[in-house]
Amino acid sequence: MENFVLIVGLPGSGKTTLVERIRTWCPDRRVDGFITREVRDAQGQRVGFDLIDWLHGTAYPLARKAWTEASARVGRYGVRPEVLDAFVDRLTARNPTAPDLWVLDEFGKMESFSKRFLTWLATLDLTRQRLVATGPVHPLPAYLPFLHRWRPDVWEITAGSRADVTRRLYAWLQAHGLVARETDGEWGAS
């Protein structure tokens, strides 16, 4: 069984929502990593993205439309790679040994601007560590060396496959002994 699952999909397909369910499925396991979450204004318009610390829930501004002078850009968003650089330092410091599971949302273009993140990824030993990550349907060049080396199980999430991918992720976590006993059989619970 593979130690790395990569969940791919279009923006808005439910990748982040799905991996956030790992919190309820694996409450008594050491899980660490990050979520990249949209930031919306009072009118519901997307204005940027925050990096959310998996362990503490702290939000760090990663990209904003208003950051017009940022050196890194993805579409209309200015990106601050130093935010992910600093987060990787904290992640490394608090995990002298690997957690039971890494959750990295996502292997996206904004995250690829962080050289420290890419260097840290190269240190992961997925023969001994487990990783659930998300990414776009078509992998970005920055991540190809990792994907070729690690050969993940790749599952595409769409509106039509969401329930199946949810079941598969739950079963994968269960097979790796990560699901809490009290949640057995409750993969579909909200």
Side-chain angles (χ1 to χ4, degrees):
M1 169 173 290
E2 297 296 328
N3 283 343
F4 176 21
V5 169
L6 177 62
I7 300 167
V8 301
L10 297 173
S13 60
K15 299 182 301 283
T16 300
T17 301
L18 174 57
V19 297
E20 285 185 308
R21 295 185 76 181
I22 293 171
R23 288 185 193 289
T24 58
W25 294 337
C26 306
D28 59 347
R29 299 291 182 222
R30 259 186 77 222
V31 179
D32 208 346
F34 65 87
I35 298 291
T36 306
R37 188 174 292 146
E38 293 181 347
V39 176
R40 296 189 176 269
D41 65 15
Q43 290 74 41
Q45 299 298 309
R46 188 169 65 196
V47 295
F49 295 87
D50 282 350
L51 182 82
I52 309 296
D53 183 322
W54 182 274
L55 198 57
H56 302 293
T58 307
Y60 301 96
L62 180 62
R64 294 290 187 274
K65 282 183 183 177
W67 296 345
T68 57
E69 301 302 317
S71 60
R73 298 203 59 79
V74 174
R76 298 175 295 178
Y77 301 95
V79 180
R80 294 191 174 152
E82 64 273 12
V83 170
L84 185 50
D85 288 347
F87 181 76
V88 167
D89 290 343
R90 286 189 294 279
L91 198 61
T92 303
R94 73 183 183 212
N95 288 290
T97 60
D100 297 325
L101 177 67
W102 292 108
V103 176
L104 304 176
D105 173 52
E106 76 177 76
F107 284 3
K109 189 161 186 179
M110 285 184 284
E111 295 80 6
S112 74
F113 288 119
S114 169
K115 300 302 179 213
R116 199 161 299 151
F117 177 55
L118 297 176
T119 299
W120 175 77
L121 282 177
T123 69
L124 296 182
D125 178 2
L126 294 187
T127 62
R128 295 185 207 147
Q129 300 174 36
R130 293 178 190 94
L131 168 62
V132 172
T134 67
V137 173
H138 302 289
L140 299 167
Y143 301 104
L144 291 176
F146 308 112
L147 300 179
H148 289 298
R149 186 175 95 208
W150 295 332
R151 301 186 187 279
D153 279 344
V154 179
W155 305 338
E156 185 173 357
I157 188 168
T158 64
S161 72
R162 191 171 295 125
D164 181 56
V165 173
T166 301
R167 277 191 291 274
R168 289 176 74 186
L169 179 59
Y170 184 86
W172 184 87
L173 292 165
Q174 198 172 39
H176 281 288
L178 297 170
V179 174
R181 291 176 194 232
E182 62 270 13
T183 64
D184 283 350
E186 296 179 13
W187 66 268
S190 307

